[in-house]
Structure formats: structure tokens, C-alpha cells
Amino acid sequence: NAGVTQTPKFRILKIGQSMTLQCTQDMNHNYMYWYRQDPGMGLKLIYYSVGAGITDKGEVPNGYNVSRSTTEDFPLRLELAAPSQTSVYFCASSYLAGVYEQFFGPGTRLTVL
Amino acid sequence: KQEVTQIPAALSVPEGENLVLNCSFTDSAIYNLQWFRQDPGKGLTSLLLIQSSQREQTSGRLNASLDKSSGRSTLYIAASQPGDSATYLCAVKFNQAGTALIFGKGTTLSVSS
């Protein structure tokens, strides 16, 4: 199993541009998550999904959108990139919530100039 | 608000020392606690997962303990090596925080040879 994969690894955007960060998991997990990590800070939850067609906001959802059309994929969309969205983005998945472990992808490093 | 705190923020030790990293959390009602390792510019590697019903978990030279009543966890690293140099993150899944892991800011460990 590849686990959780993310593309791209790195990206530089100009202010106002849009992009989609891709996330795929092959563990048949129901729950998927997007976190962001700013320098010197802990990770914060942006959005999560409990299954195909169901998503909900996390702690820092402004400026982002998500969709979940399949169990495997959970893309994160930035519509109008801003410098405040410069961060490292991690996708994660778990079988269910509660006691189940979350597995993380390798991250996407995004810079908005 | 549920919070996770890690002290110290940075730690330097000579090779061979045994060391303890600390994690404290504000609410004893938790599902589980995970310790991660993060190398510079890299993703998160899960080290140990402790469920709320457990007191400790061990993996090789690593031992993590959990004391829910006092809101504390420790990560013990035996016979430290330069390859252990990394940032160690503690993350807690609180019962009332929905599905999110709440992360501490991490302890950056440097082991000198």
C-alpha cells in the first residue's frame, strides 16, 4: 500500500491565483483530513470528510474549499491565493474517528508571493 | 478550549544520553495521544499511539507514557543517537474536539556526536 499520497510536493503561486492540492489514500479509510502547518506552530485542521459526499469545516477553513466524490480522493482547493496561505499542507486519513489512528501524507509546501 | 503544550521547545544533548520529552494537555477526556517525528522539510512519521485506556507504549528505544488524570504524556528516548535529531510532535484526540487531532508546537531535539 502507498498509504496517503499528495501532489504536488512544492508549489509557488502568485497572489490571486488558484490551485488544487491533491490527496489520495489506498487504505479504504472513511475519514480524511486537511491540516496546515505554519513555521513554529502545531498543525491546524482546515477541513475533514467522514465519507464520500460529506465534508465539514475544521478550525481554519477560510479561503479553502474541499470536495469528496470518492472514498480515495480528497482535494483541497485554494480559489484566490493570499500570502497568509503560505504554509505546508498535510493530508491525513483514518478508518473511522474516535480511537483510530490518523495516517499522514508527505505534505505540500506552498508559497504565495 | 483544548490545548496541547510541549516543553521544552528545544533540547540539545550529547550522544548516548537518555532523555524525556514532555507533553501536557488541558482535558483528560481523550480518545488517544500520538507522538510523531518530523525531520526538517519532511512529513510526519508516527512513532507511537497510546489509547486512553493504556498507560504506555514501547517501540525499540522509545517509550511513551500517558497519565490522563494529570493531563501528561512523556516520550522517553534511550541511548540517544545523532539520527534521533528531529522535531517531535505530540497530538491529542480530545473527546469533545470532534475528529481533529490537536497538536503541540513540538520539541526540536539535537543530539551531538
Side-chain angles (χ1 to χ4, degrees), chain A residues 35 37 98-102, chain B residues 32 38 46 51 93 99 101:
Chain A
Y35 291 87
Q37 183 181 35
V99 301
Y100 292 88
E101 183 177 2
Q102 290 188 16
Chain B
N32 54 44
Q38 186 174 29
S46 182
Q51 300 293 353
K93 188 178 290 184
T99 61
L101 280 173

Side-chain angles (χ1 to χ4, degrees), chain A residues 4-22:
Chain A
V4 180
T5 57
Q6 293 182 237
T7 56
K9 287 189 170 64
F10 304 94
R11 184 73 185 268
I12 298 175
L13 283 182
K14 294 182 180 177
I15 294 172
Q17 286 186 321
S18 301
M19 77 162 294
T20 299
L21 283 65
Q22 301 291 345

